[in-house]
Amino acid sequence: MSRRALTLLVSGFLVLALGIGGAVVDVPYVVLSPGPTENTLGDIDKQPVIKITGRETYPTTGALRLVTVAYQGGPTSQIDLLTALRGWIDPTVAVVPQETIFAPDRSQKEVEEENTIEMTNSQDDATAAALNELKIPYEAVISVASTVKGKPAEGKIQKGDRIVAVDGEPVTRTDEVSKAVRAREPGDPVTFTITRGGEKLDVTVPTVAAGGEPIVGVNMQPGYEFPFDVDINVGDVGGPSAGLMFSLGIVDKLTEGQLTGGKQIAGTGTIRPDGKVGPIGGIPQKMVGARNAGATIFLTPAGNCAEALRAVPDGLRLVKAETLHDAKLALEALASGKGEVPSCSG
């Protein structure tokens, strides 16, 4: 056998060995890629993404698309080396250390469950923000998420209870409850007025010291009682980053006219009940997903503008969104061709 043929044979074996090794060797990385988009004004499996009952709604056109990031990998389904290498080569995806997505002390299932809870909470916050924007009143409530095992509230206060007063003083925010409890001395009792199954009850709970402060062992979460029903259906999508697009979809359905102007608009951002838009992760992949879906305008949280400018796909216009009100005004200006449209570039 000639030296050249031997060299080619050995090289071929090495390439084959590396290929086989790369296909079977797992690596602790996660591949992030553009995920599917959903039109919040449209349907999923013949069901509306946003369904409003008990209030007049108006027809809409165009699209207000929420965007997502798909991932491969995780503690229970690690990717192989070849998948990671392909990701490093592909400019539309990102390969990140596994621990940036899944903390070492949390399982993949726990992260996914947390994302589901965040999505549910973001839907409520989005509805509250939309109603605030439209000056539609609603009631803020405090729900009991859980009680801490071994603490005084266990067995006395239950998950799902609503706290309406502390020692006779009405409360509507979780921080008001916490402040009232911390005003006691450890060992002092606190009387909670709660509603449970439509019945109002007074429940007295002693405090105990924890970290030098009095507590009763109640985990709370803010909630709302809206004057009509807003149901949001997004399938398996998790996390809080669709809040802005949910709010805009609700606003569009509850007001006359076409907020989109018939355009294909995508965007992202968390939302607070006061309408403040927060930054999110995976902005490069979300912009690619938006452009692949035909969007020409991308509503971008102000906190993501710098990163977005470095990776924006051709044909996608970045519109800066600091609040729901700002985003609504920007869309109205785009639809009419009049008014200022805030940009990530200035």
Side-chain angles (χ1 to χ4, degrees), residues 74-106:
T76 61
S77 56
Q78 287 192 330
I79 60 173
D80 57 59
L81 181 58
L82 286 181
T83 301
L85 290 173
R86 285 195 296 267
W88 277 312
I89 295 170
D90 188 342
T92 68
V93 307
V95 181
V96 300
Q98 181 175 285
E99 61 268 20
T100 63
I101 307 296
F102 304 97
D105 59 341
R106 295 161 65 206

Side-chain angles (χ1 to χ4, degrees), residues 82-200:
L82 286 181
T83 301
L85 290 173
R86 285 195 296 267
W88 277 312
I89 295 170
D90 188 342
T92 68
V93 307
V95 181
V96 300
Q98 181 175 285
E99 61 268 20
T100 63
I101 307 296
F102 304 97
D105 59 341
R106 295 161 65 206
S107 69
Q108 188 164 334
K109 182 179 179 182
E110 287 173 332
V111 171
E112 291 170 352
E113 288 175 347
E114 182 178 316
N115 285 339
T116 300
I117 293 170
E118 287 181 337
M119 170 58 79
T120 301
N121 291 340
S122 77
Q123 293 171 2
D124 290 340
D125 289 345
T127 303
L131 268 58
N132 282 333
E133 176 66 22
L134 299 174
K135 305 295 190 292
I136 299 174
Y138 62 89
E139 184 180 351
V141 298
I142 303 167
S143 297
V144 175
S146 63
T147 57
V148 180
K149 187 174 180 60
K151 300 302 180 185
E154 184 184 16
K156 295 186 175 183
I157 294 178
Q158 300 177 9
K159 178 181 179 179
D161 288 348
R162 289 185 172 177
I163 301 172
V164 298
V166 179
D167 287 336
E169 292 293 325
V171 290
T172 57
R173 302 196 314 269
T174 57
D175 62 326
E176 292 175 335
V177 178
S178 298
K179 183 178 179 181
V181 172
R182 287 197 300 268
R184 306 295 184 270
E185 292 293 330
D188 288 347
V190 179
T191 299
F192 296 90
T193 302
I194 63 172
T195 59
R196 180 186 298 164
E199 182 181 0
K200 183 176 284 189

Side-chain angles (χ1 to χ4, degrees), residues 2-14:
S2 69
R3 179 176 296 179
R4 183 171 181 272
L6 180 60
T7 301
L8 289 173
L9 182 61
V10 171
S11 298
F13 276 123
L14 288 174

Side-chain angles (χ1 to χ4, degrees), residues 94 279-285 287 300-312 318 344:
I280 51 76
I283 195 80
Q285 289 72 46
M287 290 190 298
T300 312
N304 288 119
C305 271
E307 181 185 8
L309 283 169
R310 293 192 296 268
V312 60
L318 301 184
C344 275

Side-chain angles (χ1 to χ4, degrees), residues 4 13 19 23 25 47 57 65 89 97-98 103 201 213 216 221 233 237 254 272 276 306-308 336 342 345:
R4 183 171 181 272
F13 276 123
V25 174
Q47 295 295 321
T57 58
R65 292 190 173 278
I89 295 170
Q98 181 175 285
L201 304 169
E213 292 188 335
V216 295
Q221 65 182 27
N233 163 43
V237 177
L254 289 175
R272 295 193 327 204
K276 180 70 174 177
E307 181 185 8
S336 66
S345 59

